[in-house]
Amino acid sequence: VGVLTGAMTRVDRHHAAALDRADSLASRVDEFVVDDPGLVYFDGNSLGRLPRRTAARLRRLVDDEWGSDLVRGWGRWIELPTRVGDRIGRVLLGAAPGQVAVCDSTTVNLYKLAAAALDARPDRRVIVTDDGNFPTDRYVVQGLAKARGLELRQVATHPVDGVQPEAVEAAADADVGLVTFSHVDFRSGAIVDVAALTDLAHRAGALALWDLSHAAGAVPAELDAWEVDLAVGCGYKYLNGGPGAPAWLYVRAGLQDRLVPPVWGWFGQADQFEMGPAFEPAEGMRRWLAGTPPVLGLAAVDEGVAMLEDVGMEAVRAKGVALTGYAQSLWSAWLERLGFTLGSPADAALRGSHLALCHPEAFRLRQALIAEAGVVPDFRGPDILRIGLAPLSTRFVEVWDGFDRLRDLARDEAWTRYDVAPGRVT
Ligand SMILES: Cc1ncc(COP(=O)(O)O)c(C=O)c1O
């Protein structure tokens, strides 16, 4: 964010255009389907844009593979969950092959891994998470605690800086079997120190399960080096796998023989096509598959990750840091005086690729942004406009346009034109 020329100031649109010209990833935006060039899309961290190569791959898959090969296609498709998993491990997670599979939703994968981890610690009565963790993560462990008569300890999440190590240290005693948090906070974007918190869990004798949904594809991870036990993440955010794309799960190699999934399905069976009388878990990651893999979604995730592989996570992260840094400078130039506070860590190195802007009328401002300004952010209660800046598909000029329109709507108190009743999807 350092390209200032002549009389240009940071808040000029020309400056944003100069940043785009200096950006080695700028042309990547053209690799996505952009149906409406006027639309400002600040929600690539909720549903990533459609890559052109994915649309082409899905067309080929539908016409040539499904259309022509029919059931014979399974000879190839059957390897997709672990093949795509290995690519995710290599490109996004710092994971050696044989530790990642792509299947089910993040919620279901959280359940499978948490249940198996608790089974492996039968003498432990406590699960630790944080009260600001993503709802599905909290619900999954609430359900497990209720079904098994365990205690759920929820440490307080700092609203801006995320989970605090001191709080985890205080909660992680010798009764704890499982500790589970998110790498990047879904509200504030705060990055937590996965290695340090995993180490705290290990010192208490617990297993650590991480949700990387808001990190993978935006913030590099080193799961092997961090000695993470278990991890999950979504396929449709920065991986661009499309609505309802399957999720991934990671199980550290050294743990794989010791954990048995709670869902015994035929795709996890050692000799699947023997159709034998009793379940015997397959070696390696295949045991985590339950039913038939969603081939179209898997192919889409594969293409999204291939794109990230072409660019490399270092460059992706550098662009993400530059985008949130630029957005932060526009917030401080225009929005702070209009009543917006920064709900993310002020240091770009400590946050993922989204920025939380807090405003008492965030809910109705989001409606105004969508209806009147062609800007699509997320709302996260009670007062957050969440600005997702997907590194591969966002230009600096798009950030400028979105903030310019937001400033005008806020000045105009545009929220007075909208209803306060929430809809089904926020
Ligand atoms: C951090 C986090 N975990 C889990 C999920 C839920 O994933 P799914 O609905 O695919 O199970 C989401 C969805 O946005 C998320 O942001």
Side-chain angles (χ1 to χ4, degrees):
V1 189
V3 199
L4 288 181
T5 52
M8 204 186 278
T9 73
R10 266 171 197 280
V11 294
D12 283 342
R13 196 170 189 277
H14 295 298
H15 176 53
L19 291 173
D20 281 327
R21 282 194 300 278
D23 170 20
S24 62
L25 301 193
S27 65
R28 295 282 169 180
V29 180
D30 301 327
E31 296 180 24
F32 291 88
V33 172
V34 177
D35 175 48
D36 172 2
L39 184 80
V40 171
Y41 192 58
F42 285 159
D43 221 353
N45 60 331
S46 187
L47 177 66
R49 280 192 184 272
L50 168 62
R52 292 179 192 281
R53 63 191 284 166
T54 306
R57 166 106 176 247
L58 291 180
R59 271 194 293 273
R60 286 196 308 275
L61 181 50
V62 168
D63 292 342
D64 304 341
E65 299 194 40
W66 177 10
S68 307
D69 296 348
L70 294 167
V71 77
R72 293 167 291 188
W74 277 112
R76 286 189 313 284
W77 301 331
I78 203 151
E79 302 301 335
L80 280 171
T82 45
R83 204 162 54 67
V84 181
D86 281 346
R87 181 176 246 170
I88 290 174
R90 179 176 74 244
V91 178
L92 309 180
L93 306 179
Q99 301 179 102
V100 182
V102 182
C103 55
D104 302 311
S105 63
T106 303
T107 305
V108 171
N109 288 337
L110 276 164
Y111 177 84
K112 291 188 299 189
L113 293 181
L118 292 168
D119 286 341
R121 293 281 184 279
D123 51 330
R124 302 289 182 116
R125 312 302 305 159
V126 177
I127 305 171
V128 173
T129 188
D130 63 297
D131 63 7
N133 204 355
F134 189 78
T136 216
D137 302 56
R138 289 182 281 109
Y139 303 156
V140 162
V141 286
Q142 281 168 19
L144 282 164
K146 179 158 194 298
R148 295 166 179 235
L150 305 178
E151 179 195 337
L152 178 60
R153 264 180 215 157
Q154 301 201 58
V155 303
T157 318
H158 187 280
V160 174
D161 298 326
V163 185
Q164 298 300 297
E166 308 77 54
V168 178
E169 192 158 20
D173 60 25
D175 291 330
V176 177
L178 175 68
V179 165
T180 183
F181 302 112
S182 293
H183 183 191
V184 168
D185 187 291
F186 81 102
R187 282 199 181 86
S188 68
I191 294 177
V192 304
D193 187 338
V194 177
L197 296 193
T198 299
D199 185 50
L200 282 177
H202 288 169
R203 277 195 263 147
L207 292 169
L209 165 58
W210 286 93
D211 185 340
L212 270 69
S213 293
H214 281 282
V219 179
E222 292 294 340
L223 296 188
D224 289 354
W226 295 341
E227 298 184 4
V228 163
D229 301 305
L230 308 161
V232 297
C234 294
Y236 46 76
K237 298 179 186 293
Y238 298 109
L239 278 62
N240 298 96
W248 54 266
L249 54 75
Y250 164 95
V251 181
R252 174 160 61 82
L255 269 180
Q256 289 182 6
D257 292 348
R258 283 185 274 155
L259 298 188
V260 180
V263 182
W264 292 8
W266 73 313
F267 268 77
Q269 166 73 351
D271 286 317
Q272 182 180 6
F273 290 98
E274 292 276 306
M275 312 265 170
F279 181 73
E280 196 188 314
E283 292 291 309
M285 290 308 290
R286 201 162 67 67
R287 67 177 55 184
W288 297 97
L289 308 182
T292 305
V295 171
L296 296 172
L298 274 159
V301 171
D302 195 26
E303 289 301 320
V305 180
M307 249 182 128
L308 290 160
E309 186 164 27
D310 286 352
V311 177
M313 278 308 299
E314 213 178 303
V316 169
R317 174 62 178 153
K319 171 92 184 264
V321 165
L323 283 168
T324 64
Y326 180 59
Q328 183 179 352
S329 63
L330 295 181
W331 160 76
S332 90
W334 294 338
L335 299 178
E336 198 172 5
R337 72 189 64 160
L338 291 172
F340 291 83
T341 55
L342 191 63
S344 298
D347 179 352
L350 299 180
R351 62 189 182 227
S353 220
H354 70 267
L355 210 58
L357 300 180
C358 305
H359 188 283
E361 292 293 347
F363 177 71
R364 292 194 289 173
L365 267 170
R366 176 175 180 267
Q367 293 180 69
L369 281 164
I370 293 174
E372 297 179 34
V375 180
V376 183
D378 246 332
F379 166 77
R380 288 290 173 260
D383 63 350
I384 295 174
L385 269 181
R386 197 176 64 176
I387 309 295
L389 301 171
L392 291 189
S393 58
T394 309
R395 288 199 167 97
F396 290 93
V397 159
E398 191 177 358
V399 177
W400 192 94
D401 287 343
F403 276 67
D404 177 59
R405 295 176 206 176
L406 172 58
R407 180 203 54 213
D408 287 353
L409 287 175
R411 260 191 206 145
D412 199 24
E413 300 190 356
W415 56 82
T416 53
R417 300 194 277 274
Y418 293 86
D419 203 349
V420 284
R424 169 89 175 86
V425 180
T426 61

